[in-house]
Amino acid sequence: MLRANWVLKFHDTMPFQAQAKQRPRTVRRKSGKIDTYTPDKTRHFEDAVARWIAGAFSLRAKPLSQGSEPVKLEVLCVFPRPQKLCRKKDPDGYLWRTAKPDASNLLKSIEDGIEKAKYIVENDAQFVDVHIQKVYGDKDQAPEIKVWIYTLGGDQ
């Protein structure tokens, strides 16, 4: 395993629920032309992530993107807890979420939203080290996405 000296450059919490990347849709127009498009739910989610990142960077920091610099991404997707897990006997704090959507599709939509912002990476291929967790929040916690972004610092 390659080791690196990662330096935390940005962390924030987006106050909305994570949305998995949906498959592209293909349609045949009456003219016979075939079009492929991203479904609306996915596009709206990626745009919301991009707006949040762009707003955070315009207020707090300079853009991180330095050409093809490697970037590490850590994500915690917090989902609302279902009613059946909100009883008094159920534990407080985070609980693992093993239900759909799968973590890889959540990660892809978040990566694409971050790429759209153009403040952190120019291309999502720059994410060389990624970690994602999906959990149910505390009993009365709203859904959110926590993001930590690192770049290389000093000697490797």
Side-chain angles (χ1 to χ4, degrees):
M1 196 64 127
L2 185 63
R3 303 258 182 230
N5 182 23
W6 294 110
V7 176
L8 180 64
K9 293 292 186 172
F10 174 75
H11 64 90
D12 205 353
T13 301
M14 295 178 257
F16 43 85
Q17 186 167 314
Q19 167 68 44
K21 181 84 170 184
Q22 296 174 308
R23 287 192 165 94
R25 304 289 190 238
T26 303
V27 295
R28 182 183 306 269
R29 303 289 179 200
K30 288 182 181 179
S31 64
K33 182 181 175 190
I34 296 176
D35 286 333
T36 303
Y37 66 94
T38 302
D40 287 343
K41 268 179 105 172
T42 298
R43 190 170 37 81
H44 293 314
F45 175 74
E46 290 173 359
D47 290 345
V49 171
R51 280 191 306 275
W52 187 268
I53 295 290
F57 270 80
S58 66
L59 294 174
R60 300 181 200 164
K62 296 178 182 175
L64 294 179
S65 186
Q66 302 284 329
S68 61
E69 182 180 3
V71 175
K72 177 180 178 179
L73 174 65
E74 292 181 351
V75 178
L76 176 66
C77 297
V78 180
F79 289 87
R81 195 180 279 210
Q83 198 65 34
K84 67 181 181 181
L85 295 175
C86 291
R87 300 170 298 192
K88 282 186 179 182
K89 69 178 186 177
D90 292 320
D92 292 330
Y94 293 150
L95 298 175
W96 293 112
R97 179 184 166 120
T98 56
K100 289 188 175 195
D102 61 289
S104 59
N105 286 338
L106 290 169
L107 181 63
K108 185 61 184 157
S109 64
I110 292 167
E111 286 176 338
D112 288 348
I114 291 172
E115 179 185 356
K116 275 185 179 183
K118 298 291 184 198
Y119 279 91
I120 295 170
V121 295
E122 292 176 10
N123 187 321
D124 61 2
Q126 288 176 251
F127 293 119
V128 297
D129 188 354
V130 295
H131 186 171
I132 184 166
Q133 294 181 337
K134 56 182 191 161
V135 297
Y136 290 119
D138 208 355
K139 293 178 182 176
D140 58 354
Q141 184 175 357
E144 62 186 14
I145 305 166
K146 295 177 180 273
V147 178
W148 295 266
I149 296 171
Y150 304 81
T151 58
L152 288 176
D155 299 328
Q156 282 71 281

